[in-house]
């Protein structure tokens, strides 16, 4: 006999933690500092029809906490130099660099993958910068002997599926329950 798990859901407006635009977790006391907790949170990010959440299963209980995020919930934390170039996401998952799916928005480099927007953090940008070229006014990336133009886009036209599901990026930061 299979026992069905019970879901316990905490909506994003009740979550006591959030993810900033640089991939750092925060709560009312400031940025998370414990590396094990940070890694746990990142590795448990999931997405369903209702949006991004941190999920964990304990016995027959699945806890889902939908969280706020400023820009995106997925980040490139590391880049491998081997061929093919692999990107290590904040979730721990490795995905292949897809040059045609890159875009620049503001000061950030992003890659679209399966309807999700993934942002490169500063450290990953430094690693990948050796294969990025600037030919005024355009950026290009050289991969596998080919040169790909990286288009520029505004955040509003970036087709981030989470954009409609979450609050405006900064609104909750001005809320006294979520001090900077």
């Amino acid at each position: 006999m299979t026992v069905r798990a019970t879901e316990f859901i905490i909506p994003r407006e009740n979550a006591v933690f959030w993810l900033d635009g640089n991939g750092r977790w925060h709560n009312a006391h400031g940025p998370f500092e414990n590396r094990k907790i940070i890694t746990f949170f990142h590795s448990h990010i999931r997405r369903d029809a209702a949006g991004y959440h941190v999920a964990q299963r304990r016995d027959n209980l699945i806890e889902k906490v939908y969280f706020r995020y400023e820009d995106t919930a997925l980040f490139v934390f590391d880049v491998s130099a081997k061929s093919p170039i692999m990107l290590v996401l904040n979730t721990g998952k490795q995905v292949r660099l897809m040059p045609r799916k890159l875009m620049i928005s503001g000061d950030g480099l992003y890659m679209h993958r399966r309807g999700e927007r993934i942002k490169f953090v500063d450290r990953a940008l430094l690693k990948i910068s050796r294969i990025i070229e600037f030919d005024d006014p355009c950026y290009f990336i050289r991969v596998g002997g080919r040169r790909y133009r990286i288009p520029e886009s505004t955040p509003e036209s970036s087709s981030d599926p989470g954009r409609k599901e979450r609050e405006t990026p900064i609104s909750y930061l001005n809320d006294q329950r979520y001090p900077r």
Side-chain angles (χ1 to χ4, degrees), residues 3-180:
V3 178
R4 188 175 176 162
T6 303
E7 281 191 351
F8 181 70
I9 296 174
I10 298 174
R12 82 181 42 80
E13 56 273 3
N14 294 340
V16 295
F17 54 84
W18 64 91
L19 194 57
D20 73 14
N22 295 308
R24 292 183 305 237
W25 290 104
H26 293 261
N27 65 17
H29 303 288
F32 288 13
E33 295 180 13
N34 185 304
R35 181 61 42 205
K36 287 182 180 179
I37 293 172
I38 294 166
T39 301
F40 175 86
F41 272 66
H42 280 303
S43 66
H44 285 78
I45 293 175
R46 302 290 183 268
R47 185 179 101 167
D48 61 18
Y52 287 102
H53 58 275
V54 174
Q56 77 174 338
R57 184 180 186 123
R58 291 180 300 187
D59 301 320
N60 289 325
L61 177 69
I62 298 172
E63 180 183 39
K64 290 182 178 181
V65 181
Y66 290 87
F67 59 91
R68 296 172 188 86
Y69 52 94
E70 288 179 0
D71 188 359
T72 183
L74 300 178
F75 295 86
V76 176
F77 274 8
D78 201 3
V79 178
S80 79
K82 299 175 185 174
S83 185
I85 297 172
M86 299 299 289
L87 309 176
V88 180
L89 304 185
N90 56 323
T91 60
K93 186 174 185 172
Q94 290 191 21
V95 299
R96 189 176 185 159
L97 173 69
M98 297 179 289
R100 287 191 172 109
K101 299 290 186 173
L102 293 173
M103 67 165 244
I104 295 170
S105 180
D107 290 334
L109 178 65
Y110 298 82
M111 186 175 83
H112 288 274
R113 182 177 183 273
R114 297 183 180 164
E116 296 181 300
R117 202 165 68 127
I118 306 167
K119 183 178 183 180
F120 286 71
V121 297
D122 290 346
R123 178 185 163 140
L125 280 173
L126 285 172
K127 285 190 155 187
I128 203 167
S129 67
R130 64 180 176 76
I131 60 172
I132 294 180
E133 303 168 0
F134 180 70
D135 190 358
D136 199 12
C138 300
Y139 286 92
F140 297 87
I141 188 165
R142 192 171 294 278
V143 178
R146 294 188 62 192
R147 189 177 190 219
Y148 301 87
R149 185 176 168 277
I150 306 172
E152 290 195 48
S153 178
T154 62
E156 292 76 28
S157 66
S158 65
S159 73
D160 176 9
R163 185 163 290 294
K164 293 177 186 167
E165 337 177 308
R166 65 182 189 265
E167 298 174 19
T168 41
I170 304 299
S171 64
Y172 69 89
L173 290 177
N174 295 327
D175 188 328
Q176 293 304 312
R177 295 175 297 167
Y178 307 104
R180 290 179 187 223

